[in-house]
Amino acid sequence: SHRQELAKNETVFLEGDAGASCFYIESGLVRIFGSAGSGKEMTFSLRMRGEFFGLSEVLNSSPRKAGAQTASVSVIYSIGQQAFEAMLREHYPLARRVITLLGRRLRYMGDMVRRQNNDVANRLASLLISLAYDTLRTTEDWDKPCEIPLNIPQEQLASMVGSTQPTVSATLQRFRADGLIVGNGRRLVLLNPIEMIYRLDHNLL
């Protein structure tokens, strides 16, 4: 692998580039972005420390379907296609993890498409649950306050749900008034994730 130290807002790759490598994040934050139907740039997801990105293209030898850019100072490792395929052949637990990860991200993208047909409150609630999902490891965790493990400005949240910053700000304020979240600067805490899911499923947001 090749280690890279990148400043904030540095491009890792662009949509259409050759998918010759995948990447592992040692530290920092990387946003995956592309163009929405209107031609406006949209953030699809955020990748944080300990995560891979650029997997599907390197496995399929296909061009990049989205771009990647650092959202903070980051240290990443690039792994070439042949080296990555050799790792998968030799380490079954890693191969299984990659398969599980790709399946989860496919479901997440499907959820994003479905959210575009809902109002902003539903889209934002779905996004917050998705961002917190990996920290909710047991059934009991879903009834407890959960901090979203990313420092995300409202402009990024708006980009991810296809809305505007003022609308997202007003929606978050409504969630606070309803006792669903509390905020600490850019940090957000879901006070009761299962209650948010219940309201989402029953159109009560």
Side-chain angles (χ1 to χ4, degrees):
S1 63
H2 174 64
R3 186 176 187 270
Q4 299 172 266
E5 297 183 9
L6 303 176
K8 182 179 180 180
N9 295 329
E10 281 202 49
T11 298
V12 182
F13 55 75
L14 293 172
E15 184 176 350
D17 285 353
S21 302
C22 62
F23 301 86
Y24 175 81
I25 304 173
E26 180 183 87
S27 63
L29 189 66
V30 174
R31 73 182 189 101
I32 309 300
F33 67 95
S35 297
S38 62
K40 181 181 178 181
E41 185 180 289
M42 181 176 181
T43 300
F44 298 136
S45 60
L46 295 169
R47 302 286 177 237
M48 56 192 296
R49 184 181 66 180
E51 289 194 277
F52 284 100
F53 65 97
L55 289 171
S56 60
E57 294 93 347
V58 77
L59 289 173
N60 295 315
S61 299
S62 60
R64 301 292 183 192
K65 297 178 176 61
Q69 181 187 52
T70 56
S72 69
V73 175
S74 302
V75 176
I76 66 174
Y77 288 82
S78 60
I79 308 169
Q81 183 178 36
Q82 291 185 347
F84 188 66
E85 289 179 349
M87 286 173 58
L88 295 182
R89 286 195 300 270
E90 296 169 10
H91 301 282
Y92 174 73
L94 175 62
R96 183 169 181 174
R97 179 185 173 191
V98 168
I99 292 169
T100 301
L101 183 63
L102 289 173
R104 189 172 72 214
R105 288 180 181 172
L106 182 61
R107 290 193 296 273
Y108 172 78
M109 292 305 294
D111 288 343
M112 279 196 67
V113 172
R114 286 191 292 274
R115 282 202 302 266
Q116 299 311 309
N117 297 321
N118 297 324
D119 63 24
V120 173
N122 284 297
R123 298 202 302 269
L124 184 56
S126 296
L127 174 61
L128 296 179
I129 291 294
S130 297
L131 292 172
Y133 186 81
D134 284 342
T135 68
L136 303 170
R137 302 188 182 279
T138 68
T139 303
E140 291 77 16
D141 288 337
W142 287 86
D143 290 315
K144 300 175 182 177
C146 167
E147 183 176 0
I148 293 175
L150 292 171
N151 188 347
I152 309 177
Q154 290 184 4
E155 291 81 1
Q156 284 279 19
L157 290 175
S159 176
M160 295 177 78
V161 299
S163 185
T164 63
Q165 186 275 328
T167 301
V168 165
S169 179
T171 305
L172 289 173
Q173 186 60 38
R174 199 169 87 220
F175 287 174
R176 291 188 188 94
D178 290 343
L180 295 173
I181 66 171
V182 292
N184 179 16
R186 291 181 179 177
R187 290 287 187 177
L188 292 175
V189 176
L190 307 186
L191 292 175
N192 190 327
I194 199 67
E195 172 66 17
M196 180 171 278
I197 290 176
Y198 176 84
R199 296 194 187 193
L200 184 62
D201 287 343
H202 292 81
N203 295 314
L204 299 175
L205 291 172

